[in-house]
Coordinates of all heavy atoms in Angstrom, one line a residue:
M13 N 97.3 115.4 70.1 CA 97.4 114.1 70.7 C 97.9 113.1 69.6 O 97.7 113.3 68.5 CB 96.0 113.6 71.2 CG 95.5 114.5 72.3 SD 96.4 114.5 73.8 CE 95.8 113.0 74.6
P14 N 98.5 112.0 70.1 CA 99.1 111.0 69.2 C 97.9 110.2 68.5 O 96.8 110.3 68.9 CB 99.9 110.1 70.0 CG 99.6 110.4 71.4 CD 98.9 111.8 71.5
P15 N 98.3 109.6 67.4 CA 97.3 108.8 66.6 C 96.8 107.5 67.2 O 97.6 107.0 68.1 CB 98.0 108.5 65.3 CG 99.5 108.5 65.7 CD 99.6 109.5 66.8
K16 N 95.7 107.1 66.8 CA 95.2 105.8 67.3 C 94.8 105.1 66.0 O 94.2 105.6 65.1 CB 93.9 106.1 68.1 CG 93.7 104.9 69.1 CD 92.6 105.3 70.1 CE 92.3 104.0 70.8 NZ 91.2 104.2 71.8
V17 N 95.1 103.8 66.0 CA 94.9 103.0 64.8 C 93.7 102.1 65.0 O 93.7 101.3 66.0 CB 96.1 102.1 64.4 CG1 95.8 101.3 63.2 CG2 97.3 103.0 64.1
D18 N 92.7 102.1 64.1 CA 91.6 101.2 64.2 C 92.0 99.9 63.5 O 92.2 99.8 62.3 CB 90.4 101.8 63.4 CG 89.2 100.9 63.5 OD1 89.3 99.7 63.7 OD2 88.1 101.4 63.3
M19 N 92.3 98.9 64.4 CA 92.8 97.6 63.9 C 91.9 96.9 62.9 O 92.3 96.1 62.1 CB 93.1 96.7 65.1 CG 94.3 97.2 65.9 SD 95.8 97.3 64.9 CE 96.9 98.2 66.1
A20 N 90.6 97.1 63.0 CA 89.6 96.5 62.1 C 89.8 97.0 60.7 O 89.5 96.3 59.8 CB 88.2 96.7 62.7
K21 N 90.2 98.3 60.6 CA 90.3 98.9 59.3 C 91.8 98.8 58.7 O 92.0 98.8 57.5 CB 90.0 100.3 59.3 CG 88.5 100.6 59.6 CD 88.3 102.1 59.6 CE 86.9 102.5 59.8 NZ 86.7 104.0 60.0
C22 N 92.8 98.7 59.5 CA 94.2 98.7 59.1 C 94.5 97.5 58.3 O 94.2 96.4 58.7 CB 95.1 98.8 60.3 SG 96.8 98.8 59.9
T23 N 95.2 97.7 57.1 CA 95.6 96.6 56.3 C 97.1 96.4 56.4 O 97.6 95.5 55.7 CB 95.3 96.9 54.8 OG1 96.0 98.1 54.4 CG2 93.8 97.1 54.6
G24 N 97.8 97.2 57.1 CA 99.3 97.1 57.2 C 100.0 97.5 56.0 O 101.2 97.1 55.8
C25 N 99.5 98.5 55.3 CA 100.1 98.9 54.0 C 101.3 99.8 54.3 O 102.1 100.0 53.4 CB 99.1 99.8 53.2 SG 98.8 101.4 54.0
A26 N 101.5 100.2 55.5 CA 102.7 101.0 55.9 C 102.8 102.4 55.4 O 103.8 103.1 55.6 CB 104.0 100.2 55.6
A27 N 101.7 102.9 54.8 CA 101.7 104.3 54.4 C 102.0 105.3 55.5 O 102.7 106.3 55.4 CB 100.4 104.7 53.7
C28 N 101.4 105.0 56.7 CA 101.6 105.8 57.9 C 103.0 105.8 58.3 O 103.6 106.8 58.7 CB 100.6 105.4 59.0 SG 100.8 103.6 59.4
Y29 N 103.6 104.6 58.3 CA 105.0 104.5 58.7 C 105.9 105.3 57.8 O 106.8 106.1 58.2 CB 105.4 103.0 58.7 CG 106.8 102.8 59.0 CD1 107.2 102.6 60.4 CD2 107.8 102.8 58.0 CE1 108.5 102.4 60.7 CE2 109.2 102.6 58.4 CZ 109.5 102.4 59.7 OH 110.8 102.2 60.0
D30 N 105.7 105.2 56.5 CA 106.5 105.9 55.5 C 106.4 107.4 55.6 O 107.4 108.1 55.4 CB 106.1 105.4 54.1 CG 106.5 104.0 53.8 OD1 107.3 103.4 54.5 OD2 105.9 103.4 52.8
V31 N 105.2 107.9 55.9 CA 105.0 109.3 55.9 C 105.4 110.0 57.2 O 105.6 111.2 57.3 CB 103.5 109.6 55.5 CG1 102.6 109.4 56.7 CG2 103.4 110.9 54.9
C32 N 105.5 109.2 58.3 CA 105.7 109.8 59.6 C 107.2 110.4 59.7 O 108.1 109.7 59.5 CB 105.6 108.7 60.7 SG 105.8 109.3 62.3
P33 N 107.2 111.7 60.0 CA 108.5 112.3 60.1 C 109.2 112.2 61.4 O 110.4 112.7 61.6 CB 108.2 113.8 59.8 CG 106.8 114.0 60.4 CD 106.1 112.6 60.2
A34 N 108.6 111.6 62.4 CA 109.1 111.5 63.7 C 110.3 110.6 63.8 O 110.5 109.7 63.0 CB 108.1 111.1 64.7
D35 N 111.2 110.9 64.7 CA 112.4 110.1 64.9 C 112.5 109.8 66.4 O 112.8 110.7 67.2 CB 113.6 110.8 64.5 CG 114.9 109.9 64.6 OD1 114.8 108.7 64.7 OD2 116.0 110.5 64.6
P36 N 112.2 108.6 66.9 CA 111.9 107.4 66.1 C 110.5 107.5 65.5 O 109.7 108.2 66.0 CB 112.0 106.2 67.1 CG 111.6 106.9 68.4 CD 112.2 108.3 68.3
K37 N 110.2 106.7 64.5 CA 108.9 106.6 63.9 C 107.9 106.2 64.9 O 108.2 105.3 65.8 CB 108.9 105.7 62.7 CG 109.8 106.1 61.6 CD 109.2 106.1 60.3 CE 110.1 106.5 59.2 NZ 109.5 107.2 58.1
V38 N 106.8 106.8 64.9 CA 105.7 106.5 65.9 C 105.2 105.1 65.7 O 104.8 104.4 66.7 CB 104.6 107.5 65.8 CG1 103.4 107.2 66.6 CG2 105.1 108.9 66.2
F39 N 105.2 104.6 64.4 CA 104.5 103.3 64.1 C 105.5 102.2 63.9 O 106.7 102.4 63.6 CB 103.7 103.4 62.8 CG 102.7 104.5 62.8 CD1 103.0 105.7 62.2 CD2 101.5 104.4 63.4 CE1 102.1 106.8 62.2 CE2 100.6 105.4 63.5 CZ 100.8 106.6 62.8
E40 N 105.0 101.0 64.1 CA 105.8 99.8 63.8 C 104.8 98.9 63.1 O 103.6 98.7 63.6 CB 106.3 99.1 65.1 CG 107.1 97.9 64.8 CD 107.6 97.3 66.2 OE1 108.6 97.9 66.7 OE2 107.1 96.3 66.6
I41 N 105.2 98.3 61.9 CA 104.3 97.5 61.2 C 104.6 96.0 61.6 O 105.7 95.6 61.4 CB 104.4 97.6 59.7 CG1 104.3 99.1 59.3 CG2 103.4 96.7 58.9 CD1 103.0 99.7 59.5
K42 N 103.6 95.4 62.2 CA 103.9 94.0 62.7 C 102.6 93.2 62.5 O 101.5 93.7 62.8 CB 104.2 94.1 64.2 CG 105.0 93.0 64.7 CD 105.5 93.3 66.1 CE 105.2 92.1 67.0 NZ 105.5 92.5 68.4
D43 N 102.7 92.0 62.0 CA 101.5 91.1 61.8 C 100.5 91.8 60.9 O 99.3 91.7 61.2 CB 101.0 90.7 63.1 CG 102.0 89.9 64.0 OD1 102.8 89.2 63.4 OD2 101.9 90.0 65.2
K44 N 100.9 92.6 59.9 CA 100.0 93.2 59.0 C 99.1 94.3 59.6 O 98.0 94.5 59.1 CB 99.2 92.2 58.2 CG 100.1 91.3 57.4 CD 99.4 90.7 56.2 CE 100.3 90.0 55.3 NZ 99.7 89.0 54.4
K45 N 99.6 94.9 60.7 CA 98.9 96.0 61.3 C 99.9 97.0 61.7 O 101.1 96.7 62.0 CB 98.2 95.5 62.6 CG 97.1 94.4 62.4 CD 95.9 94.9 61.7 CE 94.9 93.8 61.3 NZ 93.8 94.3 60.5
S46 N 99.4 98.2 61.8 CA 100.3 99.3 62.3 C 100.1 99.5 63.8 O 98.9 99.7 64.2 CB 99.9 100.6 61.5 OG 100.7 101.7 62.0
H47 N 101.1 99.5 64.5 CA 101.0 99.7 66.0 C 101.7 101.0 66.4 O 102.8 101.3 65.9 CB 101.7 98.5 66.7 CG 101.1 97.2 66.3 ND1 100.1 96.6 67.0 CD2 101.4 96.3 65.3 CE1 99.8 95.4 66.4 NE2 100.6 95.3 65.4
V48 N 101.1 101.7 67.3 CA 101.7 102.9 67.8 C 102.7 102.5 68.9 O 102.2 102.1 70.0 CB 100.6 103.9 68.4 CG1 101.2 105.1 69.0 CG2 99.7 104.3 67.2
V49 N 104.0 102.7 68.6 CA 104.9 102.2 69.6 C 105.8 103.3 70.2 O 106.4 103.1 71.2 CB 105.9 101.1 69.0 CG1 105.2 99.8 68.7 CG2 106.6 101.6 67.7
H50 N 105.8 104.5 69.5 CA 106.6 105.6 70.1 C 105.7 106.8 70.1 O 105.9 107.8 69.5 CB 107.8 105.9 69.3 CG 108.9 104.8 69.4 ND1 109.6 104.5 70.5 CD2 109.3 103.9 68.5 CE1 110.4 103.5 70.3 NE2 110.2 103.1 69.1
K51 N 104.7 106.7 70.9 CA 103.7 107.8 71.1 C 104.3 109.1 71.4 O 103.9 110.2 70.9 CB 102.8 107.4 72.3 CG 101.4 107.8 72.2 CD 100.6 107.3 73.4 CE 99.6 106.3 72.9 NZ 98.4 106.2 73.8
D52 N 105.3 109.1 72.3 CA 105.9 110.4 72.7 C 106.7 111.1 71.6 O 107.0 112.3 71.8 CB 106.9 110.1 73.9 CG 106.1 109.6 75.2 OD1 104.9 109.8 75.2 OD2 106.7 109.1 76.1
A53 N 107.1 110.4 70.6 CA 107.8 111.0 69.5 C 106.9 111.8 68.5 O 107.4 112.6 67.7 CB 108.6 109.9 68.7
C54 N 105.6 111.6 68.6 CA 104.7 112.2 67.7 C 104.7 113.7 67.8 O 104.6 114.3 68.9 CB 103.3 111.7 68.0 SG 102.0 112.4 66.9
I55 N 104.8 114.4 66.7 CA 104.8 115.9 66.6 C 103.5 116.4 66.2 O 103.3 117.6 65.9 CB 106.0 116.4 65.7 CG1 105.8 115.9 64.3 CG2 107.3 116.1 66.3 CD1 106.7 116.7 63.3
E56 N 102.5 115.5 66.1 CA 101.1 115.8 65.7 C 100.9 116.6 64.4 O 100.2 117.5 64.3 CB 100.5 116.6 66.9 CG 100.5 115.8 68.2 CD 100.0 116.5 69.4 OE1 99.1 117.4 69.2 OE2 100.4 116.2 70.5
C57 N 101.7 116.1 63.4 CA 101.6 116.8 62.1 C 100.4 116.4 61.3 O 100.0 117.0 60.4 CB 102.9 116.4 61.3 SG 103.0 114.7 60.8
G58 N 99.8 115.2 61.7 CA 98.6 114.8 61.0 C 98.8 114.1 59.7 O 97.8 113.7 59.0
A59 N 100.0 113.9 59.3 CA 100.3 113.3 58.0 C 99.9 111.8 57.9 O 99.4 111.4 56.9 CB 101.8 113.3 57.7
C60 N 99.9 111.1 59.0 CA 99.5 109.7 59.0 C 98.0 109.6 58.8 O 97.5 108.8 58.1 CB 99.9 109.0 60.3 SG 99.4 109.9 61.8
E61 N 97.3 110.5 59.5 CA 95.8 110.5 59.4 C 95.4 110.8 58.0 O 94.5 110.1 57.4 CB 95.3 111.6 60.4 CG 93.8 111.6 60.4 CD 93.2 112.6 61.4 OE1 93.8 113.7 61.5 OE2 92.2 112.3 62.1
S62 N 95.9 111.8 57.4 CA 95.5 112.2 56.0 C 96.1 111.2 55.0 O 95.5 111.1 53.9 CB 95.9 113.6 55.7 OG 97.2 113.9 56.0
G63 N 97.2 110.5 55.3 CA 97.8 109.6 54.3 C 97.3 108.1 54.4 O 97.6 107.3 53.5
C64 N 96.5 107.8 55.4 CA 96.0 106.4 55.5 C 94.8 106.2 54.5 O 93.8 106.8 54.6 CB 95.5 106.2 56.9 SG 94.7 104.5 57.0
P65 N 95.0 105.3 53.5 CA 94.0 105.0 52.5 C 92.7 104.4 53.1 O 91.7 104.3 52.4 CB 94.7 104.1 51.5 CG 95.8 103.4 52.3 CD 96.2 104.4 53.3
E66 N 92.8 103.8 54.3 CA 91.7 103.1 54.9 C 90.9 104.0 55.9 O 90.0 103.5 56.6 CB 92.1 101.8 55.5 CG 92.9 100.9 54.6 CD 92.2 100.4 53.4 OE1 90.9 100.3 53.5 OE2 92.8 100.1 52.4
N67 N 91.4 105.2 56.1 CA 90.9 106.0 57.2 C 90.9 105.3 58.5 O 89.9 105.4 59.3 CB 89.4 106.5 56.8 CG 89.4 107.5 55.7 OD1 90.3 108.4 55.6 ND2 88.4 107.4 54.9
A68 N 92.0 104.6 58.8 CA 92.1 103.8 60.0 C 92.7 104.6 61.1 O 92.7 104.1 62.3 CB 92.9 102.6 59.7
I69 N 93.2 105.8 60.8 CA 93.9 106.6 61.9 C 93.1 107.8 62.3 O 92.6 108.5 61.5 CB 95.3 107.0 61.4 CG1 96.1 105.8 61.1 CG2 95.9 108.0 62.4 CD1 97.5 106.2 60.7
V70 N 92.9 107.9 63.6 CA 92.3 109.1 64.1 C 93.3 109.7 65.2 O 93.9 109.0 65.9 CB 90.9 108.9 64.8 CG1 89.9 108.6 63.7 CG2 91.0 107.8 65.8
M71 N 93.4 111.1 65.2 CA 94.1 111.7 66.2 C 93.2 111.8 67.4 O 92.1 112.2 67.3 CB 94.5 113.1 65.7 CG 95.3 113.2 64.4 SD 96.8 112.1 64.4 CE 97.9 113.2 65.4
E72 N 93.7 111.3 68.5 CA 92.9 111.2 69.7 C 92.6 112.6 70.3 O 93.4 113.5 70.2 CB 93.7 110.4 70.8 CG 93.8 108.9 70.5 CD 94.5 108.2 71.6 OE1 95.7 108.5 71.9 OE2 93.8 107.3 72.2
Ligands
LIG123 S1 98.3 103.8 56.5 FE1 96.4 103.1 57.5 S2 96.0 101.0 56.6 FE2 98.1 101.6 56.1 S3 99.3 100.6 57.8 FE3 98.9 102.7 58.4 S4 97.0 102.6 59.6 FE4 97.1 100.7 58.5
LIG124 S1 100.9 112.8 63.5 FE1 102.8 113.0 62.3 S2 104.4 112.6 63.8 FE2 102.5 111.9 64.7 S3 102.4 109.7 64.1 FE3 101.3 110.8 62.6 S4 102.8 111.2 60.9 FE4 103.9 110.7 62.8

């Protein structure tokens, strides 16, 4: 399942965006938060979840 971002924890560092191999990227960084905008593009690699320094991402 695609990732879900905990907005209370997210700092907008963009590590998830940078690491995401999907095309288009699943995330969009806006207003210092990461938003899941291309859910269907997710290949469920888990890189965003393990790469988030705030543990703000969980795979649903
Ligand atoms: S890596 Fe984590 S803290 Fe950084 S923008 Fe993504 S969800 Fe937010
Ligand atoms: S699981 Fe992989 S493809 Fe899906 S959003 Fe995270 S980094 Fe991108």
Side-chain angles (χ1 to χ4, degrees):
M13 298 295 277
K16 204 174 172 181
V17 179
D18 182 338
M19 292 299 169
K21 291 183 181 172
C22 179
T23 62
C25 72
C28 55
Y29 179 89
D30 290 340
V31 82
C32 182
D35 183 18
K37 298 230 181 209
V38 171
F39 305 100
E40 182 178 284
I41 308 297
K42 207 170 127 189
D43 300 327
K44 299 205 170 157
K45 298 288 175 190
S46 178
H47 302 269
V48 176
V49 291
H50 292 292
K51 212 179 250 208
D52 294 344
C54 179
I55 58 168
E56 301 178 28
C57 68
C60 53
E61 185 180 36
S62 49
C64 175
E66 306 298 331
N67 288 323
I69 296 182
V70 287
M71 304 304 286
E72 290 184 297

